[in-house]
């Protein structure tokens, strides 16, 4: 909840700052300008302010914002903050995020989660989360098309480097992680301005994460 309020406040601050009048010193300079030039300058300032407002609005609908605003992703949002990946999901992209919801994370090994949450294991937490992210935007329709062109099975490299394995059967897409665990998509095509989110039933695990005891 605090993250949501902070993000909304940031948007409001940006919008408010963009709407402030120009300094008085600037208005004095306009006296020497022609009426046409003054109108042109005002129009330019209005365009710039509108661009800032639109940017602020768009940031509210980024992948990070969607995660923070959806109570089903409150656990995942906390992990992203702990891993210091907020800026990645707020500004960069586009990405396809396979997002484990709270239920999936609650079923994940509590011991492993405690270890990767330790500050010294931040890189391992980043690795785990990046394993759920694929560069580019892939909707379910696009995934099905790609799978159909590859005998209903394919592997795609994640932002972490390792691959997720996809298969298509009876019109449904399923995934397998590096440890051969089967993962189902339980909600698909949640749109964001910098990508798309698919909710998954299980945390995808990499082979390379080795936390310090």
């Amino acid at each position: 909840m605090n993250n949501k309020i902070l993000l909304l406040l940031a948007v409001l601050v940006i919008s408010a700052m963009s709407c402030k009048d120009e300094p008085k010193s600037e208005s004095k300079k306009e006296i020497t300008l022609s009426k046409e030039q003054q109108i042109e300058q005002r129009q330019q300032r209005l365009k710039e302010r509108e661009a800032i407002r639109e940017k602020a609005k768009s940031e509210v609908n980024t992948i990070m914002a969607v995660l923070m605003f959806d109570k089903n992703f409150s656990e995942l949002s906390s992990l992203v903050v702990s891993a210091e990946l907020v800026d990645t999901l707020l500004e960069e992209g586009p990405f396809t995020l396979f997002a484990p919801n709270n239920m999936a994370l609650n079923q994940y090994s509590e011991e492993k989660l405690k270890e990767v949450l330790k500050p010294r294991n931040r890189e391992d937490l980043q690795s785990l989360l990046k394993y759920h992210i694929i560069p580019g935007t892939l909707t379910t329709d696009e995934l099905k098309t790609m799978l159909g062109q590859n005998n209903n099975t394919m592997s795609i490299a994640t932002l972490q480097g390792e691959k997720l394995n996809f298969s298509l059967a009876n019109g449904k897409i399923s995934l397998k992680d590096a440890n051969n665990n089967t993962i189902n998509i339980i909600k698909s095509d949640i749109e964001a301005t910098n990508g798309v989110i698919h909710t998954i039933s299980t945390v995808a695990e990499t082979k390379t994460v080795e936390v310090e005891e």
Side-chain angles (χ1 to χ4, degrees):
M1 185 64 179
N2 289 337
N3 288 333
K4 178 179 177 180
I5 293 171
L6 286 171
L7 186 58
L8 289 173
L9 283 173
V11 171
L12 290 172
V13 168
I14 292 171
S15 296
M17 288 175 64
S18 69
C19 294
K20 286 183 179 180
D21 291 331
E22 295 295 324
K24 291 183 180 179
S25 60
E26 290 296 318
S27 62
K28 289 180 181 178
K29 291 180 182 178
E30 287 185 0
I31 296 174
T32 60
L33 300 175
S34 68
K35 190 170 290 185
E36 290 79 10
Q37 288 173 317
Q38 290 180 36
I39 292 172
E40 187 178 344
Q41 279 196 352
R42 290 193 190 101
Q43 289 176 337
Q44 182 61 33
R45 285 198 294 270
L46 285 171
K47 286 180 181 179
E48 290 172 356
R49 291 169 182 172
E50 184 60 28
I52 294 173
R53 279 195 291 270
E54 288 303 313
K55 183 177 186 296
K57 287 178 186 177
S58 70
E59 287 178 351
V60 176
N61 296 313
T62 59
I63 290 174
M64 189 63 221
V66 171
L67 295 182
M68 288 196 296
F69 294 175
D70 190 329
K71 63 182 180 181
N72 294 307
F73 293 126
S74 59
E75 298 290 339
L76 180 57
S77 299
S78 296
L79 291 179
V80 173
V81 172
S82 297
E84 298 181 351
L85 290 176
V86 171
D87 286 345
T88 299
L89 297 181
L90 187 66
E91 298 174 357
E92 297 181 14
F95 296 123
T96 299
L97 171 65
F98 293 90
N101 59 15
N102 290 349
M103 187 177 294
L105 281 164
N106 288 335
Q107 293 172 348
Y108 186 63
S109 168
E110 186 176 352
E111 184 179 346
K112 289 180 181 179
L113 209 52
K114 282 182 179 179
E115 285 301 317
V116 294
L117 280 169
K118 292 178 180 178
R120 65 173 179 267
N121 293 324
R122 183 170 290 122
E123 288 185 4
D124 297 307
L125 178 58
Q126 289 177 349
S127 179
L128 179 65
L129 294 177
K130 286 180 178 180
Y131 188 53
H132 292 76
I133 304 170
I134 290 176
T137 301
L138 290 173
T139 64
T140 48
D141 284 344
E142 289 169 330
L143 283 169
K144 286 178 180 179
T145 298
M146 292 167 67
L147 282 162
Q149 295 169 347
N150 291 276
N151 296 318
N152 295 331
T153 182
M154 64 180 180
S155 299
I156 303 177
T158 66
L159 198 62
Q160 180 261 3
E162 294 183 62
K163 293 181 178 180
L164 283 171
N165 303 303
F166 295 79
S167 60
L168 180 65
N170 300 318
K172 292 185 178 181
I173 300 170
S174 62
L175 297 76
K176 283 195 175 180
D177 62 18
N179 296 304
N180 213 34
N181 297 313
T182 299
I183 301 164
N184 296 315
I185 297 175
I186 55 179
K187 186 176 181 180
S188 57
D189 300 326
I190 303 170
E191 294 182 355
T193 54
N194 59 342
V196 65
I197 302 169
H198 304 296
T199 308
I200 56 175
S201 61
T202 311
V203 174
E205 291 191 80
T206 72
K207 284 186 175 179
T208 57
V209 173
E210 295 179 2
V211 296
E212 293 181 19
E213 300 295 338

